Amino acid sequence: MRNQAKLLSFCFAGKNDNYGGRFVQRLANSINFLARNADTLGRLEDIEVIVADWGSKTSFSEVIPLSAQGALITKFFHVPEEIAKNYSNEETKFHGGKAINVALRRACGKYISSAAADILITEYSLSQLLKLLSGDFSTYFF
């Protein structure tokens, strides 16, 4: 059974393997910054963050330092290492497309965003995006 629908789901994927250096902290920064900005806008209830954890030995949910707001909007889905390795690139032990699909399939948003897990979305950008998706801008495509 799906959770209550949100306006927008942010879907991220990663593996707790220190990719690019300090990946856990970069992911936490992304989620916490997004949550803080949504809370400032009074739109925290309109968004969710879905994180696909692709074969980590230690899952993100065990180690990621989330703020109170970040914890409210984030759901983690851990793909066990023994399963992920069967569907991963031999060199990187990761498959971005399959990993993000884990998150996409579990998203409850009317709209879905798939982005790098360490993206920083400013308050202004989030405000404009939510206004657009809510129909508060008159456009020719909504």
Side-chain angles (χ1 to χ4, degrees):
M1 178 177 224
R2 289 194 156 214
N3 293 334
Q4 181 180 6
K6 301 290 183 178
L7 178 63
L8 179 58
S9 297
F10 290 92
C11 295
F12 302 135
K15 182 176 180 179
N16 187 1
D17 62 357
N18 204 31
Y19 174 76
R22 300 179 56 227
F23 185 75
V24 169
Q25 189 58 54
R26 293 189 345 255
L27 175 59
N29 291 344
S30 178
I31 295 169
N32 291 335
F33 189 66
L34 175 62
R36 185 196 71 180
N37 290 337
D39 193 34
T40 299
L41 295 168
R43 304 291 301 261
L44 196 60
E45 70 283 350
D46 292 327
I47 68 169
E48 68 176 351
V49 175
I50 308 295
V51 179
D53 185 342
W54 189 256
S56 299
K57 290 184 190 297
T58 304
S59 67
F60 289 128
S61 62
E62 296 176 40
V63 297
I64 193 165
L66 291 180
S67 65
Q69 296 106 327
L72 281 174
I73 64 169
T74 305
K75 296 179 191 105
F76 295 94
F77 293 92
H78 184 255
V79 176
E81 185 178 16
E82 56 275 4
I83 293 173
K85 73 179 178 183
N86 293 325
Y87 300 97
S88 294
N89 177 297
E90 187 64 34
E91 289 179 27
T92 64
K93 308 296 186 226
F94 189 74
H95 193 295
K98 289 180 178 154
I100 199 66
N101 194 41
V102 169
L104 293 171
R105 293 173 63 108
R106 286 154 179 85
C108 296
K110 181 175 181 182
Y111 299 96
I112 299 173
S113 169
S114 171
D118 57 357
I119 190 171
L120 294 175
I121 300 170
T122 66
E123 182 180 330
Y124 178 78
S125 295
L126 182 61
S127 168
Q128 300 309 298
L129 179 59
L130 292 172
K131 284 180 185 177
L132 176 68
L133 298 178
S134 297
D136 294 336
F137 285 143
S138 95
T139 63
Y140 66 92
F141 53 86
F142 277 100

